[in-house]
Amino acid sequence: MPRLRPDRPPAVRELLASGAPSFSFEFFPPKTEKGARNLWRTIRELESLHPTFVSVTYGAGGGTRDTTVDIVERIATDTTLTPVAHFTAVNHSQAELRNLIGRFAAAGVRNVLALRGDPPGDPMGEWVRHPEGVEYASDLVRMIRSYGDFSVGVAAFPYKHPRSPDIESDTRYFVEKCRAGADYAITQMFFRAEDYFRLRDRVAATGCDVPILPGIMPVTQISTIERSEQLSGAPFPPEVKARFDAVADDPEAVRRLGVEHAAELCQELLDQDAPGIHFITFNKSTATREVYGLLDTGGYGVSGSVPPMTA
């Protein structure tokens, strides 16, 4: 039986305005029945931490559109969690986008992360606008906001978007998305706090005060380093990589270091007034819960201490 939900589900902009640090988790649509069971087990395990919200990603080219919508609808109706639906423009007409907006509204989903999206097959391939679609993420933000009381987030890139020619233009594009109606942003994953601070400072210098949530993923395997470079489009920080290289032959030591590094990174971000942490989980809860448990969250619900970084 679905759990009773508030008549008006909370918007992320309202939750962030409370002043308490935000803690959120990101999931992706599974491809198999086993993956689906694992996802819902993870969701239930993380639900007990009472996150500010959880988000569900959207496959390249809209390949997981229906699965994403189904998961978001089920989270909205069958759990106590506040879902955020990733929403991309690639390969979609404006009519299809309007239909999706309607589905989310009907399920009581008020929170959307608006992304232009990557081309299917090759994320770095040529981006081609659907002939009846929209061109930029800022256009998608305006469209979503025009159809109802949605709280819309956008992506931010500590190293700049791979398609941006330079940092200056990347900052300008980000501010345009905010001025189009974005309430908040979530960064691409990164592994060095100073990269987030540089992003925040250059955005603030434009007069834009939209809260930017850091996207954090614990490194639990050496292969994660290479994968993170592919996903973020940025090189893994060499000084951090050196720490992992020192224990590369010991999988358990790599995992332990990954949890410690992520906790240290999160604590530094929170201590320097980041509005919260957005954990990229890859549908696994164990490492994320360990990192969360190490944080001094200022009374949010968990208190701990971050151990020193060791190799």
Side-chain angles (χ1 to χ4, degrees):
M1 178 177 177
R3 304 183 185 195
L4 295 177
R5 304 287 296 183
D7 291 338
R8 183 176 179 274
V12 170
R13 62 171 171 265
E14 298 163 350
L15 297 170
L16 294 179
S18 72
S22 168
F23 292 91
S24 51
F25 306 111
E26 180 175 299
F27 308 116
F28 68 89
K31 297 180 180 180
T32 65
E33 285 297 321
K34 181 180 179 181
R37 290 193 297 271
N38 179 69
L39 167 65
W40 286 103
R41 181 172 61 251
T42 297
I43 288 174
R44 293 302 186 185
E45 289 170 348
L46 293 175
E47 186 176 14
S48 65
L49 299 182
H50 307 292
T52 308
F53 65 89
V54 297
S55 71
V56 183
T57 66
Y58 200 87
T64 64
R65 179 183 65 186
D66 290 339
T67 306
T68 296
V69 175
D70 290 345
I71 293 169
V72 169
E73 288 177 338
R74 182 175 168 187
I75 290 173
T77 58
D78 292 2
T79 78
T80 60
L81 300 167
T82 297
V84 171
H86 288 218
F87 196 117
T88 73
V90 66
N91 280 3
H92 291 331
S93 67
Q94 292 191 45
E96 289 174 322
L97 295 173
R98 285 193 296 269
N99 179 63
L100 283 171
I101 294 169
R103 284 188 65 180
F104 289 134
V109 176
R110 299 179 61 206
N111 301 291
V112 176
L113 190 71
L115 310 162
R116 189 171 79 160
D118 295 324
D122 179 7
M124 292 309 299
E126 181 182 3
W127 197 93
V128 179
R129 181 180 72 89
H130 187 286
E132 298 175 2
V134 299
E135 180 70 28
Y136 299 110
S138 56
D139 300 325
L140 186 58
V141 172
R142 290 188 191 92
M143 182 180 186
I144 296 168
R145 291 299 297 265
S146 73
Y147 281 102
D149 184 23
F150 289 95
S151 181
V152 183
V154 292
F157 299 87
Y159 308 103
K160 82 174 184 60
H161 190 283
R163 296 178 188 276
S164 296
D166 49 52
I167 289 290
E168 291 73 20
S169 59
D170 189 76
T171 304
R172 185 169 64 253
Y173 299 149
F174 175 77
V175 173
E176 287 175 1
K177 293 189 290 187
C178 296
R179 290 176 178 163
D183 298 309
Y184 64 98
I186 299 175
T187 73
Q188 180 58 275
M189 68 179 72
F190 63 92
F191 301 90
R192 185 169 51 191
E194 64 191 71
D195 296 315
Y196 170 82
F197 298 141
R198 289 195 185 103
L199 166 67
R200 185 177 64 180
D201 290 349
R202 64 178 181 260
V203 170
T206 71
C208 179
D209 62 356
V210 167
I212 302 174
L213 294 169
I216 302 299
M217 182 187 72
V219 174
T220 55
Q221 303 176 64
I222 289 296
S223 61
T224 305
I225 294 176
E226 180 179 347
R227 187 178 186 186
S228 73
E229 293 179 348
Q230 295 171 347
L231 291 172
S232 69
F236 197 82
E239 69 276 16
V240 181
K241 186 175 183 298
R243 291 181 178 269
F244 284 94
D245 286 344
V247 295
D249 294 333
D250 185 343
E252 181 53 37
V254 169
R255 185 188 183 283
R256 185 167 59 249
L257 179 60
V259 169
E260 292 174 359
H261 168 259
E264 182 183 70
L265 174 59
C266 291
Q267 194 66 62
E268 184 176 357
L269 293 164
L270 294 171
D271 288 345
Q272 295 297 321
D273 298 323
I277 302 294
H278 184 70
F279 290 103
I280 301 166
T281 70
F282 285 107
N283 295 1
K284 298 177 181 179
S285 72
T286 305
T288 302
R289 285 187 287 122
E290 289 177 23
V291 173
Y292 183 85
L294 289 172
L295 298 179
D296 178 359
T297 58
Y300 183 81
V302 174
S303 179
S305 61
V306 180
M309 275 277 283
T310 56

